[in-house]
Amino acid sequence: MGKDLRIKSKVFSDGAMRAPNRAMLRAVGLKDEDFEKPMIGIASTWSEVTPCNIHIHDLAVSSKKGAKSAGGVPFIFNTITVSDGISMGTEGMRFSLPSRDVIADSIETVVGAENLDGLVAIGGCDKNIPGCLIAIANSEVPAVFVYGGTISPGVHDGQNIDIVSVFEGVGQYNSGAIPEEKLRSIECSACPGAGSCGGMYTANTMASAAEAMGMSLPGSSSNPAEAALKLQDCEEAGKAVVGLLEKGIYPKDIMTKEAFENAITVVMALGGSTNAILHLLAIAHAVQVDLTIDDFNRLQKKVPHIADLKPSGKFVMEDLHRVGGVQAVMKLLLEAGYLHGDCLTVTGKTVAENLKDAPDLAEGQQVIVPFDNPKRKDGPLIVLKGNLSPSGAVAKVSGVKVKRHTGPARVFNTEKEATAAVVDNRINDGDVLVIRYVGPKGGPGMPEMLSISAILVGKGMGESVALLTDGRFSGGTHGLVVGHIAPEAQEGGPIAFLEEGDMVTIDSERREIFMDVSSEELEARRKKWTAPPLYRKGVLGKYAHNVSCSSKGAVTDYLNG
């Protein structure tokens, strides 16, 4: 008699008292023998609202096949997704970050209510991945995460392009650099099929982090969405979760402090999205790991940026896949002493054991540069602090030549007003463009500012104008930008007291962000300030009244206060 793997479902699998529970399950196809097997949830983020997730139902079916072949009883259930690319620059973007928590809560709800024994979670678009991992942490059953995979690049005039090319094309059109016909041609060529945005943007960043953390199967994060390998990833994940049940390995055994350090290291090396800081803090909070925003600066100082990936480089995730993928980069980092090799993973083996026989990077490849000639000698994601952001702000400095910028503040309380100022040529070289009251509470929802940052780049102002916000930036954003300014304006953070014309300095080398305003003057402005009323309706109202500071991951639960 083998080990009983029914760690949760046993409550209704045996005994006359649970006959009604079993009757319901017989209606969906279970037989007597099935009640002796572990029940595995397959959380699918399939949806027709975004290319990132359009293919995920087939992946869920593949995971179901794998779990069944390994001796489990699998059930597919769905959760929501929203498309950041489609909602960008609109009021809809306010729902993006809250969707992370809706996804997490909905998956946890099904796993808990149905007494499932294990979980495979499959995510595509940006918020799916941290949402799934937060759910895995809170569900506390053996689990595997699978990334739906990256989109292939589009092709225009013989050049590879992606969704960010379209956003920047808007700025080029606005400045008169390209005609409307060319912008339309770029629009129609950028997204050729299924999969998440192709550069080292948020989805690919978080997928890489999940593999580095040990929560995804080795090699799976860089396999493209429409490759046969992706179906294989999902089938193997279904088998793996049953293996985790047999070994008694839980998410908390894998997602340790050292595992998060591995994730941060890989994100820094690859030049990942600023959103990784927000999401990794939130996942760590859920699994009760003591990770702070200062840990990112500690590791940033040690880890070189070695990937020539978009948005600041040449290549996309599919190119990285062709030369060995995230697994080969991890092997390189492990051999150089940057990773904790003894961390446990969903294979039941350690990181070092998984990478022992992994392929090396392809000979002659150009996607990953040598350690002795890195893109940067340290990581490209930095945390800035100062009298404008005492709790910390986040900047991505890869490809940015400007190390220090001082200029007059041009202050706006909405993205719409700021965008109009840029489009109408009212923002000048040297300005510091500030968009506030768009933080987690103030937005509400901490919307991304890719639309306006891309317009600045398209107009040739990506490094001559600094863009600051208590909101977020897309993983596709590049240029002189600082986000996550905390405390946010809605909470009475110093950014609320910034006035038009105040001189503001951003210094990436000193990791400082400050305004040339005395503490006495700031206090006088504070006394005259009144917080705007919090949004109260629906999901955004719930979010605004519960969400924490961005420097703590913008979490919505009450764990540890």
Side-chain angles (χ1 to χ4, degrees):
M1 188 105 179
K3 180 181 179 181
D4 190 346
L5 305 183
R6 299 172 300 169
I7 59 173
K8 299 275 190 177
S9 65
K10 194 171 183 177
V11 296
F12 54 68
S13 294
D14 298 325
M17 293 296 292
R18 293 293 175 239
N21 310 64
R22 294 192 297 276
M24 296 287 287
L25 288 165
R26 291 181 190 278
V28 298
L30 269 64
K31 308 296 183 187
D32 284 351
E33 59 271 22
D34 293 321
F35 293 107
E36 298 176 4
K37 302 173 183 176
M39 298 193 177
I40 309 298
I42 313 292
S44 168
T45 55
W46 171 81
S47 174
E48 293 181 334
V49 303
T50 172
C52 309
N53 297 66
I54 190 70
H55 62 304
I56 284 180
H57 179 69
D58 291 342
L59 301 184
V61 171
S62 188
S63 278
K64 182 176 180 178
K65 177 182 175 183
K68 188 172 183 179
S69 71
V73 179
F75 302 90
I76 296 174
F77 64 92
N78 280 80
T79 185
I80 62 121
T81 188
V82 301
S83 170
D84 286 7
I86 296 170
S87 63
M88 194 72 67
T90 74
E91 289 294 297
M93 174 43 72
R94 297 184 300 165
F95 290 88
S96 168
L97 187 57
S99 78
R100 179 191 75 182
D101 295 63
V102 174
I103 291 164
D105 292 348
S106 63
I107 293 174
E108 181 193 351
T109 297
V110 174
V111 173
E114 301 298 319
N115 292 290
L116 299 176
D117 302 301
L119 174 65
V120 176
I122 309 170
C125 200
D126 297 4
K127 306 310 172 296
N128 299 176
I129 303 168
C132 288
L133 290 169
I134 291 168
I136 284 169
N138 286 332
S139 296
E140 297 181 331
V141 297
V144 179
F145 173 76
V146 189
Y147 177 41
T150 185
I151 194 172
S152 296
V155 178
H156 182 264
D157 288 346
Q159 300 293 318
N160 285 349
I161 63 171
D162 61 13
I163 188 62
V164 175
S165 308
V166 192
F167 280 107
E168 293 178 1
V170 173
Q172 293 170 327
Y173 167 69
N174 177 252
S175 67
I178 62 172
E180 187 173 0
E181 294 78 17
K182 183 166 184 179
L183 176 60
R184 174 173 166 74
S185 180
I186 294 170
E187 170 192 336
C188 294
S189 306
C191 300
S196 300
C197 298
M200 190 46 62
Y201 310 148
T202 302
N204 284 326
T205 297
M206 291 308 301
S208 303
E211 180 174 336
M213 201 186 303
M215 288 306 303
S216 293
L217 292 174
S220 64
S221 65
S222 40
N223 289 336
E226 297 185 308
L229 282 170
K230 186 50 63 181
L231 289 167
Q232 185 178 325
D233 290 340
C234 292
E235 184 172 348
E236 292 303 316
K239 296 176 183 176
V241 74
V242 178
L244 290 171
L245 277 164
E246 290 170 343
K247 296 179 179 75
I249 297 174
Y250 288 75
K252 65 182 180 182
D253 301 320
I254 297 172
M255 291 194 281
T256 62
K257 179 68 175 280
E258 291 74 20
F260 279 95
E261 291 184 348
N262 283 348
I264 295 168
T265 295
V266 169
V267 167
M268 291 291 179
L270 294 176
S273 166
T274 53
N275 283 310
I277 295 179
L278 196 73
H279 296 325
L280 288 171
L281 286 170
I283 298 162
H285 179 83
V287 79
Q288 299 183 65
V289 165
D290 183 23
L291 187 72
T292 72
I293 197 167
D294 294 322
D295 286 314
F296 289 84
N297 263 357
R298 174 173 57 84
L299 291 166
Q300 180 269 339
K301 295 172 185 176
K302 299 178 180 179
V303 182
H305 177 199
I306 56 172
D308 192 10
L309 292 165
K310 290 189 176 185
S312 57
K314 301 176 191 172
F315 299 102
V316 295
M317 190 68 152
E318 192 172 89
D319 297 316
L320 180 59
H321 162 71
R322 290 194 187 102
V323 303
V326 171
Q327 188 179 29
V329 176
M330 287 180 63
K331 185 176 182 181
L332 189 72
L333 290 167
L334 178 68
E335 290 171 349
Y338 290 106
L339 295 180
H340 301 287
D342 57 350
C343 288
L344 190 62
T345 74
V346 291
T347 64
K349 299 178 181 179
T350 65
V351 168
E353 289 170 333
N354 288 340
L355 295 175
K356 182 180 178 182
D357 298 318
D360 295 320
L361 286 165
E363 189 174 345
Q365 62 82 33
Q366 296 179 313
V367 182
I368 303 298
V369 301
F371 286 120
D372 59 5
N373 188 28
K375 301 281 287 183
R376 278 181 60 97
K377 61 180 176 56
D378 52 10
L381 300 183
I382 60 174
V383 175
L384 309 170
K385 291 187 178 181
N387 71 347
L388 187 54
S389 185
S391 299
V394 177
K396 184 174 180 178
V397 295
S398 51
V400 178
K401 297 181 179 65
V402 177
K403 308 298 183 188
R404 181 183 174 94
H405 179 100
T406 299
R410 305 294 307 279
V411 183
F412 299 89
N413 291 342
T414 69
E415 181 186 6
K416 183 177 180 180
E417 293 170 322
T419 301
V422 173
V423 171
D424 294 342
N425 299 315
R426 290 185 277 122
I427 301 300
N428 304 310
D429 287 345
D431 284 348
V432 176
L433 180 59
V434 178
I435 306 173
R436 65 187 179 190
Y437 293 105
V438 290
K441 289 180 178 290
M446 206 181 179
E448 290 180 347
M449 304 290 154
L450 173 60
S451 180
I452 187 170
S453 67
I455 291 171
L456 285 168
V457 171
K459 288 171 74 73
M461 304 172 80
E463 292 197 31
S464 60
V465 172
L467 176 55
L468 312 185
T469 181
D470 52 6
R472 296 182 296 129
F473 288 106
S474 163
T477 296
H478 61 109
L480 189 56
V481 299
V482 180
H484 307 202
I485 290 177
E488 63 176 291
Q490 179 70 46
E491 290 279 87
I495 190 174
F497 315 129
L498 193 63
E499 294 182 356
E500 188 82 4
D502 287 342
M503 297 303 289
V504 174
T505 296
I506 305 105
D507 190 323
S508 63
E509 292 188 320
R510 296 173 66 92
R511 296 175 179 81
E512 291 179 345
I513 180 168
F514 58 89
M515 49 182 161
D516 189 14
V517 180
S518 69
S519 56
E520 292 80 10
E521 173 62 18
L522 280 177
E523 185 58 31
R525 293 179 187 181
R526 183 188 302 274
K527 288 177 179 177
K528 292 187 288 186
W529 175 81
T530 302
L534 273 180
Y535 194 87
R536 304 183 67 85
K537 185 178 180 182
V539 65
L540 291 180
K542 294 185 184 85
Y543 190 81
H545 283 78
N546 286 284
V547 69
S548 75
C549 181
S550 60
S551 64
K552 295 185 178 180
V555 298
T556 54
D557 59 33
Y558 294 96
L559 191 63
N560 300 331

